[in-house]
Amino acid sequence: MAHLGPAPLPRPTGSRPTVLILRALGLGDLLAGVPALRAVRRAFPGHETVLAAPASLGPAVRATGAVDAHFPTEENGRRVPSLVHWRHAAPDVAVDLHGNGPESHDALAELAPGRLLSFARPEPGHPAPPRWRADEHERHRWCRFLRSHGIPADPGELRIAPPAVPSPAPGAVVLHPGADSGARRWPTGRYAAVAAGLRAAGRRVVVTGGPGEKQLCAEVAEGAGMGGRDVFAGTLTFDQLSALIAGARLFVSGDTGPAHLAFAHGTPSVTLFGPVSPELWGPPPGRCHTALWHPGPPGDPHAAEPDPLLLRLDARRVLERALGALDHGGTTEEVTAHA
């Protein structure tokens, strides 16, 4: 992913009663949690709503517009971070949006909040405590969790405003070949074939990636005959990446954080799923997103090699879907395609 530049939200002030929310995961997790974050903020209007999330996500936390303050945590992978550096009064309310295990519950419980909402250990006396469901879409899961506590939440409330900075390539088709794990990285040769087909159709194509993905992006660009000006690998701040995606004609990627930026901006997208089904992490319903997925037994999303289900998606089908989305002005039906 791109550098997550400056301008984070302020730190907690402690001047008001606090709602502390723990969701210390990645960019995609943050954006999938936006509907739940907004619901919590509305439910406690007199409180300062604070999100505990990795320090590197500061600009993205600000961009959601869903919380008042950011409490930075260490870069801890997907493990539960320590919250012992909290220096304010005990939170009035703590909300565990991190997971379903006792570790995240216990990290918040150590701060002695007045109320603690979690899957792991429901509040005493709760008439119908929420139960974790492994087959539930991430946005729906956390909204259902909040509704069980009497907090109205709408999983469709995921849109965020585009940043004020200009796009570095307005109107381009953006390809993002990277992902946090090899299991979700479609081969660069196939991305290059898609890029070449789009360029042959008269579209400007740009490639994005994080600081560690320069070689990956270079392979796509070289295979498609693209110049260096159309490669943005490790050179964009978060706001610049967000503006690029918000202003794109189409965004094509695997199941990764920037795909959720496309969902959040309403940018037409083609997302390649595997090993995790789009039923769990896919785009919202609508007419501007295409989810490509070859059904089969779920694999390990953290494996080092591309998942076999992902590899069953061929470049010809992906190019067809991308051109279809462009030809129809981004009104392609969301579809689970057997490719």
Side-chain angles (χ1 to χ4, degrees), residues 210-224:
E213 296 171 340
K214 293 181 180 180
Q215 181 60 36
L216 196 71
C217 294
E219 290 174 7
V220 174
E222 182 178 358

Side-chain angles (χ1 to χ4, degrees), residues 191-204:
Y191 273 111
V194 172
L198 289 166
R199 283 164 52 82
R203 304 292 182 171
R204 182 184 179 187

Side-chain angles (χ1 to χ4, degrees), residues 236-298:
L236 301 181
T237 66
F238 173 81
D239 279 352
Q240 289 171 330
L241 175 65
S242 186
L244 175 66
I245 294 174
R249 288 292 304 276
L250 182 69
F251 184 79
V252 182
S253 76
D255 175 20
T256 187
H260 288 268
L261 263 180
F263 307 160
H265 287 311
T267 298
S269 66
V270 175
T271 309
L272 317 181
F273 283 86
V276 177
S277 166
E279 293 182 359
L280 304 181
W281 284 93
R287 296 182 59 84
C288 72
H289 301 296
T290 299
L292 293 178
W293 157 251
H294 197 292

Side-chain angles (χ1 to χ4, degrees), residues 31 111 124 129 136 152 157 173 202 209 223 226 278 283:
L31 295 172
L111 304 181
E136 191 170 23
E157 198 180 8
V173 178
M226 297 168 58

